[in-house]
Amino acid sequence: MTEHYQVTVVGGGPAGLTTALYATRLGHDTAVINRGGGRAAMMLDTHNVIGITEDVSGNEFLQTATEQVKEYGADYFQDFVSDIEATEDGYHVTAGNVEVTTDHVVLATGFSDEQPDPPLPRTGKGLHYCLHCDAYMFVDEPVYVMGTSDSAAHVAMIMLNFTPEVDILTRGDEPEWSAETQVMLENHPIDIIHEDIIGLEKGDDGWLEAFEFEDTVGSRPTSSRTESGDGTRREYRGGFPMYGSDYNTDLAESLGVELNDDGTIAVDDHGRTNVDGVYAVGDVTPGHNQIPTAMGEGARCGIGNHYDLRAFPRSVEEIEAEGPVTKADVPGVSDRLREHAVEHEGHPGTGQAAAASDDD
């Protein structure tokens, strides 16, 4: 039989899992269908998350979050959602080995960073995608920014707040930033390196130490970090590629969900899209791509689902149509979640039962 849920979350990153946590604890049968991976899973360590120490990897963080969601009664499936179809009563969600029907769908499908060509350092050991997460790591260290866009140029200038040694690496491509940005760059102490990378050096700890660049005829910016060799060697401890993002919106578009000009899904402050019963949250929506931000969005989205699904209070119009609420109608939580909640270790009744057992 196809299982039915009130809320089905597609994606298992911080935003999706927080949505599922709130929806479940607010009494709604909830499923998470997650293909695995994602940007959070790439993290070697976790920054800027209060209560989480930096030695926790992204995978460890997500595993703990997944277990918490399951402990409250949500179902979790490791699978890839290939299709979502609108039905008379909601939506039919199809994954590889999973099919569910659901009242609401929450799209937490994120995006993929456009990655530059190799040679590249390992992600988290010199290749970083979050300025706000990782700039602190590079105070007084030599840093690169890869790219040719206005965004790349502005990130390079922002990094001057943290270190005096910042280069832009265009890797042989022509700059595409605006004339105004060019004037700004000319008035900031940033070297623009046009030659492509032909090699890299790593330390024993795996961290990036330097890039080697092609030698070309012509002038080259001077730097205390430039040395002679087969090519030109410049030292870096880390940096940021700025090549854009591919938003995972295929499912959203198939449902007629409205997108913003930048490719993100348009939502209100509780994650609602223009399609009834379809929500979106996390990196696939506008905003800062941060774990705390994603968790906040997930909390609001879970609450938004609760507002739109909860049975009570019954409105005057509903009372006139259905009659008053009786003892037989309450509570609104399903029998399945009701049983799970009562047995959960955080439930007062469970605590009393445990205390009574200890007394015996």
Side-chain angles (χ1 to χ4, degrees):
M1 293 179 60
T2 301
E3 191 79 19
H4 181 78
Y5 298 92
Q6 289 184 288
V7 179
T8 298
V9 180
V10 181
L17 290 172
T18 305
T19 301
L21 178 72
Y22 270 73
T24 304
R25 280 180 54 86
L26 286 168
H28 304 289
D29 289 324
T30 302
V32 177
I33 307 178
N34 178 34
R35 69 175 182 180
R39 297 176 83 243
M42 295 168 57
M43 301 185 307
L44 296 182
D45 41 34
T46 303
H47 304 292
N48 292 3
V49 184
I50 290 294
I52 303 297
T53 57
E54 295 197 353
D55 59 341
V56 176
S57 71
N59 278 322
E60 291 169 334
F61 173 81
L62 293 173
Q63 182 61 39
T64 299
T66 299
E67 291 303 319
Q68 288 175 321
V69 171
K70 290 164 63 176
E71 285 173 6
Y72 287 117
D75 287 339
Y76 179 90
F77 304 99
Q78 186 85 36
D79 221 321
F80 176 75
V81 174
S82 57
D83 183 66
I84 303 175
E85 182 181 356
T87 66
E88 288 186 6
D89 301 321
Y91 297 91
H92 184 275
V93 180
T94 302
N97 296 305
V98 179
E99 288 192 32
V100 305
T101 59
T102 186
D103 299 322
H104 288 181
V105 172
V106 179
L107 300 173
T109 48
F111 69 80
S112 300
D113 295 287
E114 287 280 359
Q115 295 190 353
D117 294 330
L120 292 171
R122 181 183 177 187
T123 298
K125 292 285 189 178
L127 187 68
H128 302 263
Y129 289 93
C130 179
L131 172 71
H132 299 105
C133 299
D134 294 336
Y136 180 87
M137 300 165 61
F138 299 115
V139 170
D140 284 342
E141 296 287 352
V143 169
Y144 67 85
V145 177
M146 289 186 190
T148 59
S149 64
D150 278 289
S151 295
H154 280 266
V155 166
M157 289 184 281
I158 290 169
M159 283 305 300
L160 291 172
N161 290 290
F162 303 92
T163 176
E165 298 184 280
V166 182
D167 290 352
I168 296 177
L169 313 183
T170 69
R171 305 197 64 176
D173 295 327
E174 287 297 318
E176 298 176 331
W177 51 70
S178 68
E180 180 180 356
T181 298
Q182 178 63 33
V183 172
M184 293 173 66
L185 284 172
E186 290 170 355
N187 288 275
H188 288 77
I190 292 173
D191 283 349
I192 302 173
I193 311 302
H194 294 292
E195 290 77 18
D196 201 2
I197 299 168
I198 59 174
L200 64 85
E201 298 176 18
K202 294 186 294 185
D204 294 338
D205 57 2
W207 274 89
L208 175 68
E209 290 191 344
F211 284 133
E212 185 179 2
F213 296 86
E214 295 175 336
D215 263 338
T216 59
V217 177
S219 61
R220 168 191 308 280
T222 59
S223 169
S224 60
R225 291 178 280 129
T226 302
E227 301 178 4
S228 299
D230 294 335
T232 300
R233 178 183 183 276
R234 296 175 74 90
E235 295 178 1
Y236 303 104
R237 287 297 282 168
F240 303 88
M242 300 295 298
Y243 291 95
S245 306
D246 289 330
Y247 293 97
N248 300 317
T249 58
D250 289 348
L251 293 172
E253 292 178 74
S254 74
L255 294 167
V257 168
E258 179 183 346
L259 303 184
N260 297 306
D261 291 341
D262 63 357
T264 57
I265 296 176
V267 293
D268 71 4
D269 59 358
H270 282 80
R272 301 180 185 93
T273 71
N274 63 303
V275 177
D276 188 41
V278 179
Y279 300 68
V281 69
D283 286 352
V284 77
T285 65
H288 294 293
N289 302 314
Q290 304 272 298
I291 289 178
T293 302
M295 293 168 70
E297 292 175 2
R300 289 196 299 274
C301 187
I303 292 170
N305 275 268
H306 176 60
Y307 287 163
D308 298 338
L309 285 169
R310 64 191 182 191
F312 311 116
R314 190 173 288 178
S315 69
V316 172
E317 292 78 8
E318 290 170 332
I319 292 171
E320 291 174 349
E322 303 174 34
V325 179
T326 69
K327 288 284 188 180
D329 297 323
V330 297
V333 64
S334 71
D335 291 340
R336 172 179 171 274
L337 271 186
R338 186 181 186 184
E339 180 180 351
H340 198 98
V342 170
E343 293 178 352
H344 191 272
E345 63 180 12
H347 191 274
T350 304
Q352 292 170 5
S357 176
D358 290 343
D359 291 340
D360 293 342

